[in-house]
Amino acid sequence: MRAFDAGWGGAVWKTIGEPITNVSSRYSSIDWEGRRMMGFNNIELISDRSIEINLQEMAEAKRRYPKHAVIASLMVESKRETWHDIVQRAEDAGADGLELNFGCPHGMSERGMGSAVGQVPEYCEQITAWVKQKARTPVIVKLTPNISDIRMPARAAKRGGADALSAINTINSITGIDLDTFQANPNVDGKSSHGGYCGPAVKPIALNMVQQVCADPASALPLSGIGGIANWQDAAEFILLGCGTVQVCTAVMHYGYRIVEDMQDGLLAWMAEKGFASIDDFRGRSIPNVVNWNQLNLNYQIVARIHEDLCIGCQLCYTACWDGAHQCIHLDHTSPAPDTTRTPAMVEAEAARRISTTPIPKLDAGGSGSSNARTPLERIPRVDEHHCVGCNLCSLVCPVEGCITMERIENGLAPQTWAERVAAGITPGGACEVVNTK
Amino acid sequence: MSGQTSFVQQAPNHPETSARFGDLHPPFDKQAAIPEANRCFFCFDAPCTGACPTHIDVPRFIKKIASGNLSGSARTILDANILGASCARACPVEVLCEGACVMHRFNKQPIQIARLQRFAMDSLHASGAPLPFAPGPDTGLSVALIGAGPASLACAAELRRRGIRAQLYDARPLPGGLNTYGVAEYKLPLVESLREIEMLSQLGVEFHFATMIDAEMLAGLEHEHDAVFLGIGLGGIHRLGIAGEQLPGVTNALDLIAGYKSGECTTVPARVAVVGAGNTAIDAAVAAVRLGATEVHIAYRRGPEQMSAFAFEYEHARLEGVKFVWHTQPTRILGGESVEGLELTRLAASADGQAGSEFCLAVDLVVLAIGQGTHSGLLSGKVQVERGRIVIDRATGQTSDPKYFAGGDCTNGGREVVDAVADGKRAGIGIAAWLGAALASA
Ligand SMILES: Cc1cc2nc3c(=O)[nH]c(=O)nc-3n(C[C@H](O)[C@H](O)[C@H](O)COP(=O)(O)OP(=O)(O)OC[C@H]3O[C@@H](n4cnc5c(N)ncnc54)[C@H](O)[C@@H]3O)c2cc1C
Ligand SMILES: Cc1cc2nc3c(=O)[nH]c(=O)nc-3n(C[C@H](O)[C@H](O)[C@H](O)COP(=O)(O)O)c2cc1C
Ligand code: SF4
Ligand code: SF4
Ligand code: SF4
């Protein structure tokens, strides 16, 4: 109810089922360079409070906030009667919809629930069908990412009659080991267990799965996007890949319900800027822009270009291209001619031999220390465009926004994809004996 | 006397002076150090490293702080600069590493390299771990080092790591030269300089204190040792050559600073005039403020633009309440029993009077800070000297006499601790190479 007061449109209730006991501790996280909880992990199961209490509270919430959507997340043992019973009770309590938790990767799965269901398309289809026999409200199936191809359970849920899908649940994880005790986190009396990973770190994985589901006609259903969403930009990206709604868990646990204010405000401002009146104006708009690799234009050519006026001279692009890409960035701006033979080791050796002293105004008449406002020319790297493969690495490591841009080279070649090359017999298609999932 | 005696225990303990000269740049705590370390870009061929005269691998030691490898961080620092803790506090980083940091062109906030360096060094000291280097296997070679300031200490460390005996001779009772007796206490307390040297002496450096080397003794040392290193710094402060200079109440900046640092002097009178506007003058003026003076003037013969002090030192002095009298030259020191006033002549017209007019500052103490002289006597004809500086090959520190090497203020005209360390380090390596070559050809 505090979430609704803060501005959230709806809530998916913590999964309800036959009460279990949760352990302490339950959470652990990955920090990154001083920022907390870049990735979050839990070994919490479903609600440890009774079905009765949960449903009483749900009824109370619905009574006080009739306009807000309340979805009951459910997980019970894989028996038709049990599912029918819980569906009935949740709907009687006033739930606006049901979310079937086929995703929880720990604890429940060992008892044949959660991801144990989500990982077997037949079970997924079966339970969805049972629920649909009883349900009067929309049924959402929540998918587990702990599977090779998310489309398998998605298609099964669709066959079972699901009204909608949500993805993703958490990803199997061990967040870390304590280097003093050699115990894993989160620590429960010296032991840990694999948990479910979420938070900002999982967003790319979630986006990929969302795209796979939305682009697959046999899977596609209304989709609620989940996984690492923390702000309006994240939300917009999920919607662009086809989601109709989004859900947030970790970011709220981190910063509280109040984050919804900017999610709303920022999204509306962006929509106004782009001329979108509603979510439907841009939902799924990016789906066609993600294709199979063999549909990419092989004749598209770009190269890195360094904007010298912006370069601060950190030379991260240089070391990245030498050690991580194609050795085509050079420090030869002040050499008489382009020099592609000077290696990073030679640069470092020269620097080590250089003698520098503290500039003292009295002793160093004239140049009293060089100004640090401009990058010295010898520190600005140069891209050898003939050898640049256009991989982006340098532009990704460059700390300065817009300093390295990737520029298109007009090579006069007509677009051509791998698929077209294969079709034209230029490249062999390759033997493919395994069953195609398409 | 050998390195057995604890230098730190010999440091004076004056709580009042310590309180008055609290840290100008307070240390980082862990919560602040790690985000700051993470902010560093880890530049390739980092400009901060290039600007550091000792070429400390700055990004490397910073990233070790970020990864929690504090002992590795301190080792990285000490490997390049054996006085890494002193330098972290004493270096004018605005014109060195931090001045060169690429962040000036990114978000205008350079990485606080010195404070990170101090963080790593303080952690090493707090851990009680020994110096992370061992002396090299004994070569039977030995070198005499004249002076036990930063230049000689750095040279000695390189020699010991290569198994060469290092015998240091200094006129003072404690090691460190101006690192111990000169650097302002609010930057580098005397005891911290000694703590670092104490650690360095674990390499088996041998000290001979209270030993003033004259030309005759030098000839003896040359004979006994395989090489001689000159790390004698600069000489005393120049005199003005005006009337009244012999009065009680006239002192010089080095004596004043060494006096308060070694605990011999704990207060100054109310009104103080400092003559000169270099970094030393600024240090003396700020020290006078901290020692209780209520009115401190700096008199300089030229204007703020020509001042040889670093801009940030000038700013600091102004914040401390020091007043500047520009374009004036002292012409007489007035007083009967002791100093009562300083007569100044205007060298340029100002709102208060024309060029050539005189006026008098009522003062109780006059501190001269008009530059240091050189030690020409000791060297009389031994090695080539130009404009008061011993001439050396900069890469090896070798002088015109191949058996003599030199470094630090006596060769560079008076720069900073870190320059002396860099000179000493190059000379130590240079001496070892020269001796090695001499051995090989013998
Ligand atoms: C007031 C003042 C403040 C300073 N502040 C800073 C600062 O904040 N940061 C910074 O980096 N640098 C500072 N410096 C500069 C720095 O102290 C010097 O550059 C550095 O100490 C030079 O080291 P050195 O080894 O060449 O000489 P010194 O430190 O001068 O050491 C020379 C040693 O040789 C001894 N000696 C000389 N002749 C003989 C002899 N004949 N026989 C025996 N012993 C002899 C002396 O007693 C002395 O101990 C300051 C200097 C001064 C004067
Ligand atoms: C502590 C915690 C408990 C969770 N419990 C449930 C649950 O009971 N039922 C469920 O379907 N998902 C549960 N999840 C998964 C989230 O609903 C969500 O799918 C996942 O965390 C990814 O979204 P996020 O990155 O916004 O957190 C839980 C996640 C966390 C962190
Ligand atoms: S795009 Fe890749 S290959 Fe080209 S310069 Fe950058 S890093 Fe090197
Ligand atoms: S990474 Fe960017 S800022 Fe750094 S040197 Fe390369 S182009 Fe310049
Ligand atoms: S220049 Fe600045 S950002 Fe780059 S390595 Fe040095 S301290 Fe780090």
Side-chain angles (χ1 to χ4, degrees):
Chain A
M1 292 185 272
R2 284 194 293 116
F4 295 155
D5 287 339
W8 294 86
V12 179
W13 205 273
K14 171 80 190 165
T15 305
I16 308 170
E18 279 309 322
I20 44 76
T21 306
N22 272 313
V23 292
S24 59
S25 59
R26 300 173 196 181
Y27 308 149
S28 60
S29 69
I30 298 286
D31 302 338
W32 193 74
E33 298 206 339
R35 288 289 300 274
R36 302 291 257 168
M37 275 171 60
M38 179 206 67
F40 189 62
N41 169 72
N42 80 90
I43 54 170
E44 178 176 298
L45 309 183
I46 62 173
S47 175
D48 48 16
R49 298 177 316 140
S50 73
I51 300 179
E52 293 71 35
I53 292 180
N54 270 302
L55 294 179
Q56 269 166 27
E57 288 176 358
M58 192 181 296
E60 172 71 7
K62 267 319 285 186
R63 195 178 57 73
R64 290 217 243 155
Y65 291 84
K67 295 211 177 92
H68 289 75
V70 173
I71 312 286
S73 171
L74 306 175
M75 185 199 293
V76 289
E77 56 178 339
S78 302
K79 288 196 186 132
R80 188 158 77 156
E81 291 66 41
T82 325
W83 276 102
H84 280 182
D85 177 58
I86 191 80
V87 165
Q88 175 84 50
R89 291 169 70 188
E91 291 188 339
D92 289 349
D96 299 301
L98 308 171
E99 190 182 77
L100 314 187
N101 182 344
F102 294 166
C104 183
H106 41 259
M108 305 309 287
S109 52
E110 291 150 25
R111 286 176 239 163
M113 294 182 260
S115 63
V117 173
Q119 286 165 344
V120 183
E122 294 73 32
Y123 297 169
C124 214
E125 180 175 349
Q126 178 67 75
I127 295 175
T128 310
W130 288 339
V131 170
K132 278 303 289 179
Q133 290 164 358
K134 190 81 184 173
R136 290 162 282 140
T137 59
V139 173
I140 309 165
V141 171
K142 184 165 177 179
L143 303 174
T144 176
N146 299 309
I147 185 162
S148 333
D149 188 340
I150 190 95
R151 289 171 297 193
M152 299 297 116
R155 288 174 190 170
K158 191 167 181 171
R159 284 195 301 272
D163 301 293
L165 302 171
S166 58
I168 58 174
N169 210 310
T170 54
I171 305 172
N172 278 334
S173 64
I174 292 176
T175 44
I177 310 287
D178 183 309
L179 294 180
D180 293 318
T181 62
F182 313 123
Q183 293 165 350
N185 297 321
N187 190 316
V188 182
D189 197 13
K191 305 278 185 229
S192 191
S193 183
H194 69 89
Y197 200 44
C198 50
V202 309
K203 185 182 113 182
I205 297 167
L207 281 176
N208 174 53
M209 292 189 164
V210 161
Q211 188 275 336
Q212 283 188 303
V213 168
C214 291
D216 175 33
S219 309
L221 281 175
L223 180 65
S224 186
I226 322 170
I229 299 171
N231 58 34
W232 64 268
Q233 289 154 310
D234 300 331
E237 291 174 62
F238 276 82
I239 298 167
L240 284 165
L241 283 176
C243 296
T245 59
V246 296
Q247 299 179 29
V248 177
C249 181
T250 304
V252 165
M253 293 179 72
H254 195 164
Y255 297 111
Y257 296 125
R258 61 200 165 126
I259 62 166
V260 75
E261 190 276 331
D262 186 58
M263 293 188 75
Q264 224 168 45
D265 193 36
L267 190 64
L268 287 171
W270 173 77
M271 285 170 62
E273 186 193 313
K274 299 287 172 199
F276 298 137
S278 81
I279 298 275
D280 284 329
D281 289 349
F282 64 100
R283 182 159 56 83
R285 196 165 167 139
S286 298
I287 298 174
N289 295 338
V290 182
V291 294
N292 278 343
W293 192 91
N294 69 358
Q295 304 295 320
L296 299 174
N297 176 8
L298 297 171
N299 287 339
Y300 173 71
Q301 199 187 344
I302 54 172
V303 296
R305 197 155 290 161
I306 294 174
H307 298 270
E308 296 178 6
D309 52 328
L310 294 175
C311 173
I312 61 171
C314 65
Q315 298 181 354
L316 289 175
C317 56
Y318 171 76
T319 194
C321 189
W322 270 85
D323 293 3
H326 298 266
Q327 301 83 43
C328 56
I329 299 188
H330 303 286
L331 295 173
D332 55 7
H333 263 311
T334 49
S335 315
D339 179 1
T340 58
T341 58
R342 197 158 157 252
T343 64
M346 288 156 76
V347 172
E348 285 183 310
E350 281 166 36
R353 279 196 300 273
R354 214 167 291 138
I355 293 179
S356 43
T357 52
T358 309
I360 304 280
K362 184 173 63 178
L363 299 174
D364 310 299
S368 69
S370 57
S371 154
N372 52 27
R374 287 185 64 139
T375 306
L377 188 59
E378 69 266 20
R379 286 205 66 85
I380 303 179
R382 177 188 66 88
V383 177
D384 172 4
E385 293 188 2
H386 297 296
H387 291 97
C388 170
V389 302
C391 71
N392 275 355
L393 181 64
C394 55
S395 71
L396 299 176
V397 301
C398 177
V400 185
E401 188 85 36
C403 173
I404 302 185
T405 52
M406 303 303 298
E407 307 282 343
R408 184 163 195 169
I409 297 287
E410 281 312 333
N411 54 14
L413 300 173
Q416 187 178 46
T417 68
W418 184 266
E420 286 163 353
R421 279 196 192 173
V422 173
I426 303 169
T427 355
C432 190
E433 283 168 16
V434 288
V435 184
N436 197 331
T437 54
K438 275 269 162 187
Chain B
M1 203 192 315
S2 78
Q4 298 300 311
T5 345
S6 163
F7 301 137
V8 172
Q9 278 163 18
Q10 295 175 58
N13 181 14
H14 281 285
E16 200 191 334
T17 307
S18 311
R20 285 169 175 235
F21 288 83
D23 270 325
L24 187 59
H25 302 291
F28 266 142
D29 64 18
K30 196 172 162 218
Q31 287 293 331
I34 290 176
E36 185 66 4
N38 277 320
R39 208 163 65 82
C40 164
F41 283 149
F42 205 24
C43 300
F44 176 80
D45 179 20
C48 48
T49 293
C52 170
T54 60
H55 293 332
I56 292 180
D57 192 334
V58 174
R60 185 182 299 248
F61 93 70
I62 288 182
K63 288 301 154 189
K64 285 180 194 283
I65 292 176
S67 82
N69 178 5
L70 290 180
S71 60
S73 182
R75 184 172 21 78
T76 303
I77 294 163
L78 286 170
D79 194 31
N81 181 333
I82 198 74
L83 296 187
S86 297
C87 286
R89 294 156 173 265
C91 276
V93 287
E94 292 84 344
V95 298
L96 291 169
C97 53
E98 292 183 17
C101 177
V102 300
M103 290 288 175
H104 284 287
R105 301 184 288 268
F106 185 70
N107 64 3
K108 311 265 185 293
Q109 283 161 31
I111 303 298
Q112 298 186 53
I113 302 170
R115 290 177 79 195
L116 288 170
Q117 184 172 325
R118 175 167 169 192
F119 178 76
M121 294 306 303
D122 282 353
S123 317
L124 179 76
H125 293 167
S127 76
L131 193 75
F133 310 114
D138 190 14
T139 56
L141 296 166
S142 111
V143 175
L145 299 96
I146 319 303
S152 294
L153 291 168
C155 180
E158 294 303 332
L159 294 172
R160 291 304 302 136
R161 288 175 74 180
R162 289 166 176 75
I164 300 170
R165 263 184 91 173
Q167 305 236 22
L168 281 79
Y169 299 84
D170 201 296
R172 298 201 192 249
L174 284 168
L178 289 174
N179 199 54
T180 300
Y181 290 101
V183 179
E185 195 75 3
Y186 47 79
K187 290 191 207 159
L188 174 63
L190 174 134
V191 64
E192 292 302 327
S193 169
L194 296 177
R195 194 186 313 284
E196 181 152 51
I197 299 166
E198 192 103 65
M199 201 156 178
L200 185 163
S201 62
Q202 290 167 11
L203 283 171
V205 178
E206 295 158 79
F207 291 101
H208 305 269
F209 293 120
T211 312
M212 183 69 169
I213 302 298
D214 57 21
E216 196 182 323
M217 289 161 87
L218 187 61
L221 290 172
E222 175 187 343
H223 188 70
E224 285 166 36
H225 295 271
D226 299 290
V228 177
F229 176 78
L230 303 167
I232 52 182
L234 292 174
I237 298 262
H238 292 301
R239 298 184 70 81
L240 279 167
I242 58 173
E245 216 169 336
Q246 75 298 334
L247 280 173
V250 179
T251 182
N252 70 66
L254 289 188
D255 288 349
L256 175 75
I257 294 167
Y260 90 75
K261 285 185 67 98
S262 60
E264 283 156 24
C265 127
T266 51
T267 56
V268 294
R271 297 166 305 171
V272 177
V274 178
V275 182
N279 293 318
T280 300
I282 301 268
D283 281 0
V286 174
V289 172
R290 302 276 179 114
L291 289 167
T294 48
E295 209 181 287
V296 178
H297 284 96
I298 282 187
Y300 183 45
R301 68 196 154 94
R302 292 191 279 181
E305 305 76 32
Q306 292 89 13
M307 187 178 50
S308 65
F310 295 124
F312 56 86
E313 293 282 15
Y314 172 46
E315 258 328 291
H316 177 218
R318 291 194 339 162
L319 286 175
E320 297 261 351
V322 173
K323 297 191 189 73
F324 287 78
V325 219
W326 306 111
H327 302 292
T328 55
Q329 173 148 7
T331 35
R332 200 147 48 111
I333 296 171
L334 310 165
E337 298 278 285
S338 69
V339 170
E340 287 163 22
L342 177 65
E343 184 190 86
L344 295 163
T345 301
R346 292 190 180 88
L347 298 177
S350 76
D352 304 315
Q354 341 172 288
S357 60
E358 285 161 5
F359 66 104
C360 180
L361 273 182
V363 294
D364 313 305
L365 180 70
V366 173
V367 183
L368 304 183
I370 48 172
Q372 287 170 262
T374 50
H375 301 278
S376 33
L378 172 67
L379 304 170
S380 58
K382 266 238 122 345
V383 296
Q384 191 192 345
V385 177
E386 255 173 34
R387 285 176 300 147
R389 306 180 201 173
I390 301 172
V391 179
I392 53 167
D393 169 36
R394 293 189 68 202
T396 63
Q398 199 160 31
T399 68
S400 57
D401 178 337
K403 201 171 178 179
Y404 279 82
F405 291 74
D409 280 359
C410 63
T411 60
N412 64 30
R415 289 183 194 261
E416 302 293 304
V417 171
V418 69
D419 296 289
V421 172
D423 280 348
K425 178 171 107 172
R426 282 189 290 265
I429 298 168
I431 293 171
W434 181 72
L435 290 177
L439 275 185
S441 66

